[in-house]
Amino acid sequence: MVRDLYREYAPMVYSLAYRVVQDHGLAEEATQTTFLNAWRHAADFDPDREMGPWLYTIARRAAIDIYRRERRHRAGPASEAEMAVLPKSMDETWRAWQVQLALRALPGEELEVIRCTHYLGLTHEQTAERLGIPAGTVKSRSHRAYRRLAAILSDLAGEVAG
Amino acid sequence: MRCEEARAALLAGETDPRVEEHLSTCPSCRAEMGRIEEMRAALGDALTWLEPATGLEDQVMTLLTPARARDDGRRLGVVAAAVVAVILGGVVVWTATRPPPPDWEVTLPGVGHPGEVTVAGWNRDGATALRVSADGITPAPGGHVYELWLSRDGAYVSAGSFVTVDQPVLLSVGVSRRDYPRVWITLEPLDGDPAPSKQVLFDAYP
C-alpha cells in the first residue's frame, strides 16, 4: 500500500521539491523525508479528507527545511528574517501540485498524448508516429483529455470557493 | 457551445470563433480564463513532467521498512533473542548462534548523563542489524523509552526503542551507517510524537 502511495505521489513530491531546492540530489532527499514523515504521521491523517493537500503540506515542509539548511551552509550565520525568506518558486508549488494532480487523474493513454503535445512539443501527426497510433486517435484522445482537465479545473475552483 | 467545450478548447490553445462567442456571453468562463491560462502554462513547464530517478522508490521503501511501528509509534528492541546462553557454574556459554564480529562498533558517551552505551552494527544489503549494550544505565523512567537514531545532517531514522539495557538489545534499521553516520540515543516520552525529543543522552559524532 505504501508503495502505491509512493508511485502515485512521488513525481509530484519530487517536482515540488526540485522547484524549491533546485538540485536533483536535494530533491531526492526531500522526497525521502516526505514519505518517511508521512508514514510516521499516518495516524494523524483523517481518511475522510483528500490525501493530496495533506501530503503537499508535508512535502512543502521537507523542501523548505532543506532549502534553509543549504542556505545556512552556504551563507553562514543569517538573521531570522533572512532565513524566513523563501524562494519565489514557493508561490507556484500549490498551483503546480494541482495541475499534476489533474494530469494524474487522466487515463494513461490520454496523459501520454498531452505529454507528447505539451512537454515534447509534438504535432498530432508526430505524436501519432511516436505512439504508433492513427492521427485521428491522437485527436480524439487529446479532445477527451482537455475536456477532463477542464472539468477538473472547475472542480478545483469549486473546492477553493467552497 | 457548452462551457466544458469552450474551456477544453482554450486549454488546447485552439482558435475557434465559437469560443470567442461563448466567452462574450458567459461570465463564468471569462472568470476561469486566468486559471485556464495558468494550467496551459503549467502543461508546457518541464518541471510538471519531472520524475524522480527509478532507484529512489526502493530507497524510500527501505527507509519505511523499520518505521512500521506499534500503536505508540515506537518499536521495542528484542532483548538478545538471537543468543542462547547456558549458565554453567556461573559461566555464560555462547551457543552456535553467536553472531560474527560486527562490521563496526561505536561507544556513545553520556551527554550530561552518566554511563556510556556501545552500539555494534552488522551491514546487510544497505540495512543494518544493531546490538546495543551498556553498563550502569538505569531503566527508562515510567512513560518513557530510550530510542536509538541514525542520522545525517537533518535527516534521521529511528532504529527502535528500549526500556532497559540489562541485557544486550537487538534492533534493526533499513539504512547503513555509511549513509547515516551519526549514532545517538534520546529519552522519548510515549506521547505518539515520532520525531526525536531534545533529550539527547548518548551521542557519537562520525
Side-chain angles (χ1 to χ4, degrees), chain A residues 2-3 6-7 15 18-19 32 36 39-40 95 100 103-104 115 118 146-147 153-154 156-157, chain B residues 2 4-5 7 12 38 40 43 45 47-49 51 57-59 61 63-64 67-68 158 194:
Chain A
V2 68
R3 196 178 283 270
Y6 175 89
R7 286 177 179 170
S15 174
Y18 188 86
R19 283 178 196 276
Q32 289 187 40
L36 186 62
W39 185 258
R40 285 168 174 273
R95 285 194 296 275
Q100 287 177 294
L103 285 171
R104 269 150 182 84
R115 182 175 167 274
H118 289 273
Y146 287 124
R147 288 173 68 111
L153 205 61
S154 298
L156 291 174
Chain B
R2 292 180 296 141
E4 197 179 82
E5 292 173 1
R7 295 178 191 189
E38 280 180 1
R40 188 166 162 73
L43 292 178
D45 182 356
L47 292 184
T48 296
W49 305 96
E51 301 259 347
E57 178 175 334
D58 286 341
Q59 286 180 41
M61 292 304 114
L63 265 183
L64 296 183
R68 287 176 192 161
S158 171

Side-chain angles (χ1 to χ4, degrees), chain A residues 1-18:
Chain A
M1 186 173 122
V2 68
R3 196 178 283 270
D4 291 339
L5 182 77
Y6 175 89
R7 286 177 179 170
E8 184 173 351
Y9 286 99
M12 298 159 61
V13 171
Y14 185 78
S15 174
L16 182 160
Y18 188 86

